[in-house]
Amino acid sequence: MKCEHCTRKKGEFHKLADAKIFLSDCLACDSCVTAEEGVQVSQQNAKDFFRVLNLNKKCNTSEHKVLAVSVCPQSLPYFAAKFSLSVTDASRRLSGFLKSLGVHYVFDTTIAADFSILESQREFVRRYHQHSEGEPALPMLTSACPGWVRYAERVLGHPVTPHLCTAKSPQQIMGSLVKDYFARRQNLSPDKIFHVVVAPCYDKKLEALRDDFPSALRSSRGADCVLTSGEIVQIMEQSDVSVKDAAVDTLFGDCKEEEVRRHGGASSDGCLVHVFRHAAKELFNEDVGEVTYRTLRNKDFQEVTLEKNGEVLLRFAAAYGFRNIQNVILKLKKGKSPYHFVEVLACAGGCLNGRGQAQTEDGRADKALLRQMEGIYADVPVRAPEASARVQELYQEWLDGADSPRVQEALHTAYQGPGHPANSRDIKW
């Protein structure tokens, strides 16, 4: 697989090679991707990113863009391991490198994951109350993994898609935060911002094709460009720019650098842990501290239960990787799923094991690097999404309250079945 690099020549950045992304790099198969999308994916590279960097060096300021890069928290352990740095230092090194190229703002997508998890919590409680044998609302299946969602929409369809959580993924929500909230704070139109997302897997590139951006922002996209962690590292290794570490920015325009943090869970955004605790408290008034996982078929298929007086009140599962997903879906289709909630991720090993990072040169999983990344990720401080004062401020300032109609448009989506692909747009990476 060839990747794209940049280098300085007379003050500009130039493309050295086009990135080629193969469908084997993600869960998506021929049934998940249309012929048009397959062509788009195979041709996608960092061309637009470098084009904007170069345009910003020209005299015609009318064509200049504000460059913003949002980094997924599961990418940071990869950068930390590759450069033998702590997560905090790796975050500052990455921010400094991107700003040395000409990027104006570097954000952390954790705040978007806060929104996604909080909305998932609320939706699960609502589904639990609405669930019945005649109209099953459970199990609720998570929707943060774009490879899994694409497979569910394009291949599985009904009766699986009604079980998908409608909360948007962190990447989708970050797009709205940058192109709507941040743009208005900076007195910019959304199309004057070029938003790049750095993510651990190639499926995030497919996710950027989804046509579910808020109606007021339809002239723009949430993510204009998606680059994997591995692509960024290769750009860094090929570059000769002088780099000074720099603080990661906040959407609020203040100078206070926030501590790098993560949610619960060993290698993902930790949706299961936080929804489980919330549901235990809201539905049964039970306070759950440490969440204990029980391994079932393999380490990527685990179960969590809430029990009281010998009765199982809640039964959650984490199913990572295609084989485990198939087992969950088979039982769901037969009406025999024992679970209330399933955290579904396309990649075995979770998001840290995304195909856009932790890979050897021949495309195999780098198990030693992955173990190192898991250790680094485990040491990052955990903060529950409910504890974020910033998020509570945003609910009021940006969305007019947690129960406002704006929440549904900005933070939730709808799913379509086979034969009804979501509208795609011409996007270049």
Side-chain angles (χ1 to χ4, degrees):
M1 180 170 58
K2 298 177 182 177
C3 290
E4 177 140 358
H5 312 296
C6 70
T7 183
R8 282 188 183 273
K9 184 177 180 182
K10 297 182 179 179
E12 292 193 356
F13 299 93
H14 295 270
K15 180 164 63 77
L16 298 184
D18 288 343
K20 292 186 178 179
I21 300 155
F22 302 97
L23 295 183
S24 59
D25 287 322
C26 66
L27 177 69
C29 61
D30 288 341
S31 299
C32 297
V33 182
T34 65
E36 176 191 359
E37 290 168 334
V39 170
Q40 289 177 354
V41 169
S42 68
Q43 294 177 341
Q44 287 164 2
N45 50 55
K47 178 180 177 181
D48 274 359
F49 180 47
F50 299 120
R51 177 184 61 80
V52 174
L53 286 171
N54 289 328
L55 279 177
N56 283 352
K57 295 178 179 296
K58 306 295 184 183
C59 295
N60 186 359
T61 57
S62 66
E63 296 183 359
H64 287 192
K65 300 269 189 178
V66 173
L67 262 163
V69 175
S70 296
V71 182
C72 297
Q74 291 78 25
S75 290
L76 289 178
Y78 176 70
F79 293 111
K82 290 292 285 186
F83 298 110
S84 301
L85 298 170
S86 68
V87 166
T88 298
D89 288 343
S91 176
R92 292 176 62 84
R93 180 68 49 84
L94 176 61
S95 178
F97 172 73
L98 292 169
K99 289 179 179 180
S100 73
L101 294 181
V103 170
H104 300 97
Y105 299 97
V106 178
F107 301 122
D108 177 359
T109 67
T110 302
I111 193 168
D114 285 335
F115 275 110
S116 185
I117 292 172
L118 289 171
E119 290 302 306
S120 298
Q121 291 175 345
R122 290 157 59 95
E123 181 171 338
F124 177 79
V125 170
R126 184 169 63 251
R127 281 176 178 259
Y128 186 91
H129 288 307
Q130 294 172 347
H131 179 69
S132 67
E133 286 190 14
E135 294 186 26
L138 299 175
M140 186 173 90
L141 309 175
T142 59
S143 56
C145 172
W148 149 242
V149 170
R150 174 61 64 111
Y151 179 70
E153 283 188 305
R154 298 293 177 86
V155 179
L156 301 175
H158 195 85
V160 174
T161 49
H163 290 270
L164 286 173
C165 177
T166 67
K168 288 183 178 179
S169 73
Q171 175 171 304
Q172 292 171 299
I173 293 174
M174 196 67 194
S176 293
L177 281 167
V178 171
K179 291 294 188 81
D180 183 19
Y181 176 76
F182 182 72
R184 285 192 281 114
R185 283 189 64 95
Q186 298 295 319
N187 293 317
L188 294 168
S189 64
D191 59 2
K192 293 299 287 185
I193 297 177
F194 189 82
H195 184 213
V196 181
V197 173
V198 177
C201 75
Y202 291 102
D203 285 350
K204 293 292 186 182
K205 298 182 181 248
L206 279 171
E207 182 177 30
L209 295 174
R210 289 190 70 89
D211 190 15
D212 59 357
F213 211 39
S215 57
L217 305 173
R218 285 282 161 83
S219 63
S220 184
R221 306 188 183 98
D224 299 288
C225 174
V226 177
L227 297 175
T228 67
S229 320
E231 288 175 301
I232 292 292
V233 163
Q234 288 171 327
I235 292 171
M236 294 175 78
E237 291 174 343
Q238 292 286 324
S239 175
D240 59 358
V241 298
S242 178
V243 178
K244 291 184 179 180
D245 293 357
V248 173
D249 301 289
T250 74
L251 293 164
F252 303 89
D254 53 29
C255 297
K256 183 180 178 182
E257 184 178 18
E258 297 185 347
E259 179 187 24
V260 174
R261 60 181 178 81
R262 67 177 178 91
H263 297 116
S267 61
S268 68
D269 270 330
C271 192
L272 184 153
V273 170
H274 296 292
V275 173
F276 185 80
R277 288 190 178 124
H278 179 80
K281 183 64 176 177
E282 287 291 311
L283 298 173
F284 304 104
N285 198 31
E286 293 287 331
D287 292 305
V288 175
E290 187 71 22
V291 174
T292 302
Y293 287 82
R294 183 167 68 91
T295 300
L296 300 177
R297 293 172 178 268
N298 51 66
K299 66 181 179 63
D300 283 324
F301 193 13
Q302 298 183 308
E303 183 178 272
V304 175
T305 58
L306 177 68
E307 301 180 29
K308 188 174 183 179
N309 300 326
E311 179 186 2
V312 176
L313 303 178
L314 291 173
R315 191 184 299 275
F316 282 30
Y320 301 167
F322 190 66
R323 290 183 181 178
N324 291 325
I325 292 173
Q326 290 287 61
N327 288 327
V328 168
I329 296 307
L330 185 62
K331 289 186 177 180
L332 188 154
K333 285 185 171 182
K334 290 181 177 180
K336 296 182 179 180
S337 175
Y339 300 112
H340 297 100
F341 176 101
V342 185
E343 182 179 73
V344 186
L345 297 175
C347 292
C351 297
L352 289 182
N353 195 33
R355 293 292 296 272
Q357 61 184 28
Q359 300 287 299
T360 60
E361 290 186 3
D362 60 358
R364 299 176 184 232
D366 189 331
K367 294 182 179 180
L369 178 59
L370 181 59
R371 284 193 297 271
Q372 185 182 359
M373 289 164 57
E374 289 172 342
I376 292 170
Y377 193 66
D379 288 337
V380 177
V382 175
R383 189 175 78 186
E386 299 93 330
S388 173
R390 293 291 209 187
V391 169
Q392 300 309 318
E393 290 174 21
L394 280 169
Y395 265 118
Q396 299 302 320
E397 182 183 349
W398 178 39
L399 300 173
D400 302 326
D403 297 315
S404 163
R406 291 197 64 198
V407 170
Q408 185 64 31
E409 182 178 30
L411 305 182
H412 290 264
T413 188
Y415 303 102
Q416 299 182 11
H420 301 281
N423 292 330
S424 60
R425 310 181 190 186
D426 185 19
I427 184 170
K428 300 182 178 66
W429 285 287

